[in-house]
Structures are given as structure tokens and as C-alpha cells.
Amino acid sequence: MLKQIKIGNKYVGGDAPAFIVAEVSANHLQDFERAKAIIKAAADAGADAVKLQTYTADTITLDCDNDYFQITQGTIWDGTTLHKLYQEAYTPWEWQPELLKYANELGLECFSSPFDPTAVDFMEEMNMPAYKIASFEINDIPLIRKIAKLGKPMIFATGIAYLEDIERALQVCKEEGNEQVILLKCTSQYPSPYESMNLKVIPNMAEVFDCSTGLSDHSMGCTVAVAAVALGAKMVEKHLTLSRADGGADAEFSIPGLDEDFCPQGMTNLEGYN
């Protein structure tokens, strides 16, 4: 795998500074101007990129109320159904070309996580520079193969992945001639407790898979992210909101702008570790 990858006009890996990604996710609260304000906050905080999610409730799950579609696993989303959660959380597709343009105007790269083939096609229409594969999609081999064929950087979250899952996904990328891969350590708990982070996986994956690695971080504050960069993380992704008090599906584990009490200097406190 390549040790340095270009995403848009910026580099990840090698001697490049840690690449900081602000995840907009559901924090827009279905308000287009708020989504733009989060992107502006990301630029002001020193991020390199913003990330969206490209799905609809109907492309990612079924509108069903039976037990299999209820959220009851002890998460912050318990008490609703998957379809209702994704209806609240999704980023309207008609916004995304304008959000990408706005991010670029602010000097940020912008890419997304697709969850089905139609989302990949839509991202290609926008000419997004990279693809993030969510950890719950790491076993969707047809989706990974479709993306790998595009020849663009692929960023894998590995939260629920076993070793063989990562090996299989990377083998598909190699079969399609795509070695532009970044692996992100991820703990699929929201928020993630410090004792579950196991950051030593970051240098271990870099050695085992001979690629750039980083962190998709759902923990509180920036302490874990800073430690990850110190351990060699080449990319760090954090969810960003304007204010946690505003609520939203992901507010509880998001950085609230430049809130000094939550994360001193917002995302910029990672710069000293680049």
C-alpha cells in the first residue's frame, strides 16, 4: 500500500502533518445554514477536510417497527427505530454539491461515506476526492470493489472489523489496482470510553498492512486524538458541532466548535503534534 496519499490538494502520510477531518454527520439538525456554519467552524479550527455521510433512511434500512429494527443495545439512540434515526440524521443529497463547493472555497477538502452503490454514483457526479468506508460496511465487498475501481483514496474505519475482515477488504483493493488505502482505528461505542481505545493498534496496523493509519475518534475531548498523533496517526477524524446543547443524534460525542472547556482551541491543539 502507498505510504503517502493525495486527497484533493493535500497529502496524508509520509512526512505530511496529521490530516484532520471534521465529521459533520447529523449535527446539521436538518438546517442547511447550520451545516455551512459547521464547515466554517472546521476551517476556523484548522481542519484539513470535512466529511459528510451519503445515504437516505430508505437506502440504508427498512421502515419497520419490529424488534429487529428497534435500537435497544444500550446506545445513546435507544428508544427509536433505525429508520427514524436515519431520517433525522441523514444529510439531504441536494445539499451536498453546495457544501462541497463551500468547503473548497474555505480551503477544505470534502468527501463522504457512501452506504450503497447509488451513493457512490452520486459522489462521483460531484467528483469527491476520496471515499470513507464506515466500519459497518467493511464486509460489503461489492461496495468496496465498486469504489476501489474508481482509483481514488479509500479510508477504512475498522471499529467492528476482525483481522480477516481488513485483510479481505484490502485484497479487493489490490485486485482492482487501488493501493491508496488508509486504515483508521475506531471504537464503535458512542461516546467511546478511554479504556476501550487501544491506540497501540494504530502503529500495529501500519506495520502489519504497510499503509498509513489513523484514528476515527468518538471519545470525549481531544486527549485521545493527541495521543494517537503521538503514536503515529496520519489522519484523525472527530465529529464537530456548534454547540452540544443544541442536541442532535451525534452531539453527545462531538467537539463543540471552539469550546475551551471541552477541547482547548478546538481542533487546533493537534497542530503542535503534527
Side-chain angles (χ1 to χ4, degrees):
M1 294 297 170
L2 297 179
K3 292 297 185 64
Q4 188 173 68
I5 294 169
K6 191 174 184 182
I7 295 179
N9 295 316
K10 300 180 181 181
Y11 288 92
V12 181
D15 295 328
F19 189 91
I20 309 303
V21 181
E23 166 69 78
V24 177
S25 190
N27 288 321
H28 50 68
L29 306 181
Q30 294 300 316
D31 181 336
F32 177 70
E33 293 303 322
R34 181 182 173 92
K36 290 181 67 175
I38 293 172
I39 292 173
K40 179 63 164 59
D44 291 345
D48 295 291
V50 290
K51 191 183 81 66
L52 310 175
Q53 295 185 6
T54 305
Y55 64 86
T56 69
D58 291 326
T59 62
I60 201 170
T61 189
L62 300 177
D63 187 3
C64 182
D65 289 336
N66 73 24
D67 290 345
Y68 297 106
F69 293 86
Q70 299 287 334
I71 304 176
T72 58
Q73 292 81 32
T75 73
I76 60 175
W77 305 296
D78 281 15
T80 189
T81 66
L82 291 169
H83 195 271
K84 289 175 182 176
L85 172 64
Y86 294 133
Q87 276 186 318
E88 172 191 348
Y90 91 108
T91 301
W93 289 26
E94 63 269 22
W95 293 4
Q96 295 189 31
E98 184 62 29
L99 294 180
L100 183 148
K101 179 181 176 182
Y102 182 64
N104 290 166
E105 289 172 352
L106 295 175
L108 297 170
E109 302 302 333
C110 179
F111 55 94
S112 186
S113 297
F115 289 83
D116 80 299
T118 67
V120 176
D121 294 339
F122 181 67
M123 288 173 61
E124 275 301 283
E125 289 177 10
M126 292 182 284
N127 195 29
M128 283 192 168
Y131 285 81
K132 166 78 181 293
I133 290 84
S135 66
F136 285 85
E137 309 307 313
I138 200 164
N139 289 314
D140 190 341
I141 298 305
L143 182 69
I144 292 171
R145 190 176 298 279
K146 180 179 177 72
I147 296 169
K149 288 179 178 179
L150 300 173
K152 292 183 178 180
M154 302 176 67
I155 303 152
F156 287 87
T158 60
I160 67 166
Y162 290 98
L163 180 63
E164 56 266 32
D165 297 325
I166 301 173
E167 290 174 338
R168 182 170 54 248
L170 296 192
Q171 180 59 37
V172 170
C173 294
K174 288 180 179 178
E175 289 171 3
E176 300 301 335
N178 191 334
E179 298 200 357
Q180 300 183 79
V181 169
I182 299 166
L183 298 178
L184 301 185
K185 169 69 180 75
C186 175
T187 300
S188 295
Q189 292 175 269
Y190 309 89
S192 303
Y194 292 151
E195 60 269 21
S196 298
M197 295 308 295
N198 193 16
L199 295 181
K200 289 184 178 179
V201 170
I202 294 171
N204 177 258
M205 287 196 303
E207 180 179 355
V208 170
F209 296 107
D210 194 31
C211 66
S212 290
T213 56
L215 175 70
S216 178
D217 185 20
H218 307 124
S219 69
M220 303 298 285
C222 289
T223 302
V224 171
V226 170
V229 175
L231 286 170
K234 302 301 183 181
M235 175 180 285
V236 172
E237 178 187 271
K238 292 282 290 185
H239 288 242
L240 182 67
T241 188
L242 299 179
S243 170
R244 293 175 68 215
D246 293 341
D250 297 337
E252 188 170 327
F253 55 89
S254 298
I255 296 176
L258 300 180
D259 187 329
E260 295 289 341
D261 293 330
F262 185 80
C263 184
Q265 298 181 1
M267 291 186 157
T268 59
N269 73 341
L270 299 180
E271 292 181 350
Y273 294 85
N274 288 349

